[in-house]
């Protein structure tokens, strides 16, 4: 504190202004993240039963394995992005394009490279313990 005037010094004022900017930025980021979560959950709720069950569990798996990814929608389907921008992982219900199975995939920002060719898309008809373990491992590897 500035003893002569009983107020804050210029350095203290500047530090408080910087902190206020940081808090505002954190609040905006948190708001965007919560808006993304809300949109993702809405998209899941609107899915037919079979897709919804898979999407809900897929969401739980990704959220647990990669809490740093932000939930959002991408083409109306659940997706997970770095800082809410670059989609890394997405889920697509079977009903979306009248497919016979749901699917999930990884965009090129995922670190799944393995030689000259590697899978980035997967069909999904049910989730059992082994499938959940594979998804969890792929999600963690994608962020590596």
């Amino acid at each position: 504190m500035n003893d002569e005037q009983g107020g804050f010094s210029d350095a203290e004022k500047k530090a408080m202004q910087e902190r206020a900017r940081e808090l505002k930025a954190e609040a905006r980021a948190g708001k965007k993240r919560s808006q993304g979560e809300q949109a993702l959950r809405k998209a899941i709720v609107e899915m037919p039963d079979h897709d919804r069950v898979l999407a809900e569990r897929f969401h739980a798996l990704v959220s647990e394995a990669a809490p740093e990814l932000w939930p959002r929608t991408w083409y109306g389907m659940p997706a997970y992005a770095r800082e809410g921008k670059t989609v890394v992982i997405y889920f697509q219900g079977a009903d979306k394009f009248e497919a016979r199975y749901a699917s999930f995939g990884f965009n090129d920002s995922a670190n799944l490279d393995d030689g000259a060719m590697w899978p980035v898309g997967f069909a999904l008809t049910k989730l059992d313990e082994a499938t959940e373990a594979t998804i969890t491992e792929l999600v963690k590897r994608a962020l590596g």
Side-chain angles (χ1 to χ4, degrees):
M1 280 190 121
N2 185 331
D3 291 334
E4 293 176 21
Q5 298 174 355
F8 295 103
S9 70
D10 288 342
E12 290 169 325
K13 289 177 186 175
K14 184 177 178 184
M16 287 187 289
Q17 289 170 345
E18 288 172 353
R19 183 62 183 142
R21 279 193 295 276
E22 290 170 355
L23 290 171
K24 285 180 184 176
E26 288 171 11
R28 280 192 304 272
K31 186 175 181 183
K32 287 181 183 174
R33 184 182 179 112
S34 66
Q35 288 172 341
E37 175 84 24
Q38 199 171 34
L40 179 143
R41 289 191 181 278
K42 183 177 185 279
I44 290 174
V45 165
E46 293 174 352
M47 291 178 177
D49 291 344
H50 183 71
D51 287 341
R52 185 176 56 250
V53 169
L54 292 174
E56 286 172 346
R57 187 64 189 135
F58 185 82
H59 175 60
L61 291 169
V62 174
S63 296
E64 186 177 313
E68 66 271 29
L69 292 179
W70 291 21
R72 58 173 281 191
T73 56
W74 194 50
Y75 297 99
M77 291 280 105
Y80 306 86
R82 286 192 168 100
E83 297 179 3
K85 298 175 186 166
T86 306
V87 171
V88 179
I89 305 162
Y90 58 90
F91 175 91
Q92 182 177 298
D95 190 63
K96 179 75 172 182
F97 296 107
E98 299 177 6
R100 66 183 180 97
Y101 50 79
S103 62
F104 70 96
F106 298 87
N107 283 331
D108 62 346
S109 60
N111 297 317
L112 296 173
D113 304 33
D114 185 17
M117 185 176 89
W118 55 90
V120 293
F122 301 85
L124 187 62
T125 59
K126 68 177 186 168
L127 285 168
D128 55 25
E129 199 172 301
T131 305
E132 289 182 2
T134 300
I135 291 169
T136 298
E137 190 273 325
L138 284 168
V139 169
K140 288 179 179 179
R141 207 168 104 211
L143 299 180

